[in-house]
Amino acid sequence: MEIGVLSVCVETQKDVFGVPLIGLRKSGQMRQGLPLALMHIVEFVEKHGLSQSGLFRVGGKVKLCQGLRKGFDQGSFPEFDSGDIPTLASLLKLFLRELPGGLIPESHRTQLLKVFRDSEEEELNQAVRMILNSLPEEHFNVLCYLLHFLSRVGAESLQNLMTSKNLSIVFGPTIFHVPLGPTMIEEQGLCNTLTEHLLNNLKHLLPNMYPHASTGNRAEPGDWTDEECVKQLPLTEMR
């Protein structure tokens, strides 16, 4: 009987999907503050799928997606095929949808929506940035990584048709988990608009702690500096 209980505990520790980010960190499934599974998916999609038309809007293969998820939850890193980009895009969205409490927790979502509704334009970015800076460390890291990746997807919108607006429609519901209720549709629409604002003002709001390639853009007053980006990386992860 004891062996059976131990077996269940070991299996649970391997789970990746539906596990809080702090849980993934404690179980050793993070590097540089990011879930290994998330990095595995994003890096492949970035290398092989940025130019695919309708990226993240075209549905993937359900059974394959379930199989890949099962592989991650069993502790392996499945091999991907460049012909399955839509399925990998679906897998990425599934990972974010199943994060307990969402990538941006409810308390932060409430604060963000309030300042997004009420702040004057010249004060908005500063107010949003302060709230984002108060996110739990793991959530902050993943949000930076995800949004800078999505900005690179948007940079290829002439080929993939995924403008920041289209990306916000797809990823707004996966980043912000709006609860069911009479105001759900209105609130989700506002969250999508906020997601678009984050993408369009990214360099003013979040550091590029995981730079993929130099954009050649010069920093402007109020932008994140290289020193600030380094400070945000936890020393335990940098090792």
Side-chain angles (χ1 to χ4, degrees):
M1 192 72 177
E2 291 180 0
I3 294 176
V5 172
L6 178 61
S7 175
V8 170
C9 291
V10 172
E11 284 297 313
T12 301
Q13 289 174 0
K14 290 181 180 179
D15 286 349
V16 173
F17 286 72
V19 176
L21 293 176
I22 186 66
L24 295 179
R25 183 174 184 175
K26 289 179 177 179
S27 63
Q29 298 185 76
M30 279 192 172
R31 293 294 182 273
Q32 292 186 308
L34 297 172
L36 291 170
L38 178 69
M39 295 172 67
H40 192 52
I41 297 168
V42 167
E43 288 173 4
F44 192 91
V45 171
E46 179 143 22
K47 183 176 181 179
H48 299 283
L50 284 193
S51 63
Q52 287 209 7
S53 178
L55 180 63
F56 294 115
R57 297 194 81 169
V58 176
K61 302 172 184 175
V62 175
K63 287 187 176 180
L64 177 59
C65 189
Q66 293 173 343
L68 292 172
R69 174 196 171 149
K70 185 177 180 181
F72 279 118
D73 280 341
Q74 291 177 341
S76 66
F77 284 84
E79 290 189 15
F80 299 151
D81 188 290
S82 59
D84 293 322
I85 293 298
T87 301
L88 297 178
S90 297
L91 191 65
L92 172 59
K93 291 185 290 184
L94 180 64
F95 177 87
L96 295 170
R97 278 200 307 272
E98 295 202 353
L99 272 181
L103 181 55
I104 295 184
E106 181 180 0
S107 60
H108 291 77
R109 184 188 76 242
T110 302
Q111 294 177 60
L112 285 168
L113 291 181
K114 185 177 188 306
V115 301
F116 194 59
R117 289 189 188 102
D118 302 341
S119 296
E120 298 294 334
E121 184 176 352
E122 59 273 14
E123 301 172 347
L124 178 58
N125 281 344
Q126 182 179 357
V128 169
R129 178 168 159 168
M130 287 182 63
I131 297 169
L132 295 179
N133 286 350
S134 70
L135 284 168
E137 184 179 282
E138 294 80 12
H139 292 249
F140 183 88
N141 291 345
V142 172
L143 184 66
C144 290
Y145 182 71
L146 175 67
L147 290 184
H148 280 282
F149 164 62
L150 293 181
S151 76
R152 297 192 291 272
V153 173
E156 304 295 329
S157 61
L158 288 179
Q159 296 181 71
N160 59 37
L161 307 181
M162 295 305 292
T163 61
S164 59
K165 185 173 185 63
N166 288 339
L167 287 167
S168 69
I169 292 171
V170 172
F171 280 91
T174 66
I175 294 174
F176 297 94
H177 290 185
V178 177
L180 294 172
T183 63
M184 176 185 176
I185 294 177
E186 177 186 352
E187 187 171 345
Q188 187 61 68
L190 189 59
C191 285
N192 294 353
T193 305
L194 174 55
T195 302
E196 184 180 4
H197 179 84
L198 295 179
L199 287 169
N200 290 338
N201 296 271
L202 193 52
K203 67 179 181 177
H204 304 298
L205 300 174
L206 289 169
N208 189 6
M209 299 191 301
Y210 310 95
H212 175 77
S214 174
T215 61
N217 291 333
R218 294 184 177 182
E220 298 179 7
D223 289 357
W224 280 91
T225 65
D226 291 340
E227 290 78 8
E228 287 176 302
C229 294
V230 171
K231 286 178 183 177
Q232 283 293 332
L233 275 174
L235 293 177
T236 53
E237 298 294 352
M238 287 181 70
R239 286 201 298 270

